[in-house]
Amino acid sequence: MPTRAIMIRVPAKMAMVIATLAALAFQPAGGQSAKPTTAEASDDASKSNTSEVAKTLKAAAEALGLARWSGVGGQRLPEVDVINTMEIWGSGTTYGPGQSDKPMSFKTEYHAALGYNPPAMRVEMTRTTSGAPAQGGAAPQHTIEVVRDKYAWDESEIGAGLVTGKGTATPAMAAVNNRLLQLWILPYGVIKAALAAGDKTKVSTEKGATVITFPLNGQLADVMVKATLDAQNEVAKVETRSDNPALADMITETEYSDYADHGEIATDVKSPGHIVRKQGGHPVLDIKVKMLDANNPYLVFPVPENVKKTAAH
Amino acid sequence: MSRHFLTSRSIVMSALLCLLPALVFAQNNGGPRMDHENTLPPTPTGPTPMTPDGHPDLTGLWNGLADNLLGVPNQMHNVGIEVGTDTTRDIHSGVQIATWPLQNRTRQNNEQNERAATLLRRMGSNRPLYKPQYWQRVKDFDANSNEEDPSNNCMPAGVPRMGVPSYIAQTPMYLIFIYPGQGGLIATATSYRMIPTDGRKHTNLEDLDGTWNGEAIGHWEGDTMVVDTIGFNSTSWFDQLGGYFHSENMHVIERLHRDGNTLTWTATVEDPDVLLEPWTTTPRVALLNPDPKAVLLESLPCSERDFAHVVTKEHH
């Protein structure tokens, strides 16, 4: 903040002239210095798909505010994916198994902290059934579910199990795939994963809407993703499926809508304002987003030693 | 709270933001490079000069890429993001980051550029690991850095936040490090350090009054200069951004290695009071000023004038 000794009172019109001249002097001359990426250096024969995929993903990345110019200040640098960590706060309804065919619903406060480098997510939920405990409703359930790479665990409090006497971390290795999937089917994860899938990513049109299909990788390699874009190139719907019986619970359908910059500190990163998800055909989540911090906040996901030991066995 | 600056103020700031590289470039007389085409470390060239006592000579003006804290490309380099022409990599994790060629970029206005810069400076994966009870504090400090940053109001950046010295003078008994004052992300007054290399030991920590730069002592480990520093106050933050606070028990070990016309610097921060484990910066590589006649110019006086006009939490 300080210095700014160069800050002087300049009439607004003069400042606009200065800004324009500065921009002209230091913005790069487009098209002169950069080579095309592999995806965009297609020949005519393959142009229909390769260039269409690249163009579609770029449009979707820009619609989210994920692709941003790294040469701020006038450098001849490319656009890069700037999203690593973020936090989402929301409230709404989540669903669990009920006593009959009808799932049980919970009023839910939702908070997700996540990162893509490394891939990790901490979902904290407070769920209450309808009616106060005195009226027959259950006491609120508070859960913290974490995943990082190949590790999953539950925390009794944020950061449990890292410092002696501070909470308990309970390994939950069976939940790794399901929790990682939640990370990769968020709109940002979809674009990142589609870009990472390279030639395996395809673009088509269904009912006038652009559709991107691609496989995930790593332990989710058998999961196929189908993402439908809306007219603003925002990810509107994400469906996943797997032919692998071991990944049978990976059949999901998530709808995203009401996109906006929901940050208290503006970032120009858009997030959906409404998230509705089904898993295995059943509703699991219906959340209205209250706030998003996309400014790559300080979020860390160290794996507790007892979780590593459990995974090793 | 309004999300916008006062309009005229915003225009003035945007204009000056655009002009800043021009001012620096002009002031440095064609020496320091501001026109980056990438944030890759420079490739060393030329021999490494040696002193009569057989050590590499670190003497020189190490601002060939301009001051290491100045400009988004340098700041991205500092957090370990290597941006090439058509590839980008996080050095710490090795992860490849999606990149789109410059020629197809979508134009951004100055406000969008500032917001992008905030994200770009924070996208690296090499983050210190605090004890869980401090996670929220770090996050809050960073989110509110317009008010909380201890370097505001022209206070020193401190060690190791100052990063690579812009000038080093090496004598048989001392190293002299000079850090010119600057505006921008970390606005500080000019600072210097006089670092004994005569084999002396540290003063007992209990006998030191904590300061911004601490008590530094240097020694050679092979061809690497190791600067060991203790005796800090608990006011400063230890990296360029991020709200990385520390205790008075912080211990910093800097390593400087010269290879031809490049100087590689790292700092390891030990602070068991607040960190789960020691943290080491991603190596920063400074380039020798190619002009043998170059000198450090007088820094602009540090004078806080903006703060009263800031009405959002956006970073600048």
Side-chain angles (χ1 to χ4, degrees):
Chain A
M1 292 286 302
T3 293
R4 325 280 163 68
I6 50 176
M7 290 294 295
I8 52 177
R9 291 193 176 277
V10 181
K13 284 182 182 175
M14 186 180 292
M16 289 183 79
V17 171
I18 294 171
T20 306
L21 290 173
L24 286 172
F26 294 100
Q27 303 296 315
Q32 292 189 359
S33 61
K35 292 187 295 184
T37 58
T38 305
E40 289 174 333
S42 57
D43 58 31
D44 288 344
S46 60
K47 190 174 179 180
S48 59
N49 205 343
T50 308
S51 71
E52 193 59 31
V53 170
K55 205 164 76 176
T56 301
L57 294 180
K58 172 89 182 300
E62 290 191 334
L64 285 174
L66 179 147
R68 308 285 277 274
W69 179 44
S70 64
V72 177
Q75 321 301 329
R76 296 190 296 276
L77 294 172
E79 281 184 283
V80 301
D81 169 3
V82 295
I83 289 179
N84 182 4
T85 58
M86 64 170 58
E87 272 184 296
I88 304 167
W89 291 266
S91 61
T93 307
T94 55
Y95 301 86
Q99 290 181 336
S100 60
D101 287 345
K102 190 178 178 186
M104 194 169 177
S105 65
F106 302 88
K107 185 180 175 188
T108 302
E109 289 299 316
Y110 179 90
H111 172 215
L114 59 101
Y116 287 98
N117 181 14
M121 191 170 188
R122 175 180 286 111
V123 176
E124 182 179 13
M125 288 192 282
T126 304
R127 291 189 271 206
T128 50
T129 53
S130 53
Q135 298 167 325
Q141 301 171 359
H142 182 238
T143 58
I144 304 172
E145 299 176 341
V146 193
V147 65
R148 174 180 169 166
D149 295 315
K150 59 183 180 181
Y151 305 100
W153 66 99
D154 297 335
E155 295 177 340
S156 62
E157 59 183 292
I158 301 285
L162 296 169
V163 176
T164 304
K166 185 168 170 51
T168 305
T170 306
M173 300 307 296
V176 168
N177 287 344
N178 194 25
R179 293 181 187 180
L180 277 178
L181 187 73
Q182 291 184 48
L183 178 69
W184 292 111
I185 61 177
L186 283 169
Y188 321 97
V190 166
I191 303 305
K192 287 170 183 280
L195 285 161
D199 294 344
K200 294 176 183 170
T201 299
K202 309 294 179 195
V203 169
S204 59
T205 303
E206 287 185 14
K207 297 177 184 172
T210 303
V211 172
I212 308 166
T213 53
F214 57 93
L216 294 175
N217 61 21
Q219 58 244 62
L220 298 177
D222 287 338
V223 176
M224 285 297 297
V225 178
K226 175 183 169 186
T228 305
L229 305 185
D230 63 18
Q232 287 73 46
N233 294 310
E234 296 155 347
V235 178
K237 187 174 181 181
V238 179
E239 297 161 86
T240 61
R241 63 173 175 78
S242 177
D243 296 330
N244 182 345
L247 297 172
D249 59 346
M250 297 289 105
I251 300 170
T252 68
E253 180 182 313
T254 310
E255 292 183 2
Y256 299 105
S257 57
D258 302 335
Y259 275 86
D261 181 348
H262 289 97
E264 182 188 11
I265 303 176
T267 58
D268 296 329
V269 173
K270 286 188 179 178
S271 70
H274 191 190
I275 303 173
V276 179
R277 181 173 302 148
K278 290 179 182 173
Q279 190 152 10
H282 302 290
V284 290
L285 182 137
D286 185 336
I287 294 290
K288 292 273 179 69
V289 172
K290 292 189 285 193
M291 193 167 75
L292 174 90
D293 181 357
N295 241 327
N296 287 327
Y298 178 79
L299 298 169
V300 290
F301 308 87
V303 183
E305 283 304 317
N306 68 311
V307 175
K308 288 181 185 172
K309 282 179 186 167
T310 300
H313 290 109
Chain B
M1 178 182 287
S2 164
R3 289 172 183 270
H4 301 286
F5 277 107
L6 301 174
T7 306
S8 60
R9 193 79 191 177
S10 178
I11 294 169
V12 172
M13 289 189 73
S14 300
L16 289 168
L17 185 73
C18 286
L19 283 173
L20 190 58
L23 291 170
V24 173
F25 191 72
Q27 283 183 359
N28 284 306
N29 230 358
R33 272 177 29 207
M34 286 296 291
D35 56 337
H36 300 269
E37 291 184 0
N38 59 61
T39 68
L40 309 178
T43 306
T45 59
T48 301
M50 306 297 280
T51 59
D53 57 3
H55 296 300
D57 189 353
L58 306 183
T59 300
L61 197 52
W62 295 102
N63 65 354
L65 296 170
D67 184 281
N68 84 99
L69 299 177
L70 187 60
V72 173
N74 279 347
Q75 292 153 6
M76 293 180 73
H77 169 76
N78 290 347
V79 298
I81 301 297
E82 282 188 350
V83 183
T85 304
D86 51 15
T87 58
T88 303
R89 188 174 75 101
D90 182 304
I91 297 172
H92 181 66
S93 64
V95 164
Q96 295 290 327
I97 294 167
T99 307
W100 293 270
L102 174 66
Q103 65 192 39
N104 297 332
R105 84 172 174 91
T106 302
R107 301 281 168 173
Q108 299 168 162
N109 63 34
N110 287 324
E111 189 175 54
Q112 292 168 324
N113 282 343
E114 278 206 36
R115 290 173 182 167
T118 298
L119 290 158
L120 290 160
R121 293 174 183 129
R122 288 168 173 76
M123 60 189 277
S125 68
N126 185 15
R127 299 179 176 194
L129 209 47
Y130 279 83
K131 292 180 177 177
Q133 58 265 43
Y134 300 118
W135 291 355
Q136 189 62 41
R137 188 191 295 186
V138 174
K139 213 164 49 177
D140 289 345
F141 274 163
D142 189 36
N144 297 294
S145 60
N146 287 351
E147 295 174 351
E148 300 286 354
D149 191 327
S151 84
N152 287 350
N153 295 306
C154 303
M155 300 305 285
V159 172
R161 191 178 184 185
M162 291 188 290
V164 187
S166 286
Y167 177 73
I168 296 176
Q170 183 172 330
T171 76
M173 303 289 278
Y174 292 98
L175 287 167
I176 307 293
F177 289 1
I178 296 179
Y179 306 82
Q182 57 166 308
L185 185 66
I186 304 172
T188 60
T190 298
S191 189
Y192 63 87
R193 298 163 75 190
M194 188 170 183
I195 303 167
T197 56
D198 55 4
R200 74 181 65 179
K201 303 294 181 193
H202 274 302
T203 309
N204 287 331
L205 184 59
E206 300 76 29
D207 298 329
L208 287 170
D209 288 328
T211 61
W212 294 82
N213 294 349
E215 181 190 77
I217 293 174
H219 70 276
W220 290 98
E221 290 182 4
D223 285 345
T224 299
M225 167 52 62
V226 178
V227 178
D228 189 293
T229 309
I230 61 170
F232 296 100
N233 62 29
S234 58
T235 307
S236 64
W237 290 351
F238 64 72
D239 200 25
Q240 187 176 357
L241 43 76
Y244 299 148
F245 71 96
H246 61 85
S247 77
E248 292 180 348
N249 291 321
M250 179 172 72
H251 175 205
V252 177
I253 304 114
E254 294 162 274
R255 288 183 165 79
L256 299 99
H257 183 83
R258 179 169 185 170
D259 185 358
N261 64 343
T262 64
L263 182 72
T264 301
W265 175 92
T266 62
T268 298
V269 177
E270 298 175 355
D271 191 344
D273 287 0
V274 298
L275 297 181
L276 281 172
E277 60 189 34
W279 175 74
T280 300
T281 63
T282 305
R284 301 179 188 177
V285 184
L287 183 67
L288 189 68
N289 192 312
D291 180 358
K293 294 182 179 177
V295 295
L296 276 182
L297 298 180
E298 180 180 346
S299 303
L300 292 167
C302 188
S303 172
E304 174 56 61
R305 299 184 183 189
D306 287 355
F307 191 66
H309 302 277
V310 174
V311 293
T312 78
K313 291 183 177 181
E314 288 184 46
H315 303 295
H316 306 287

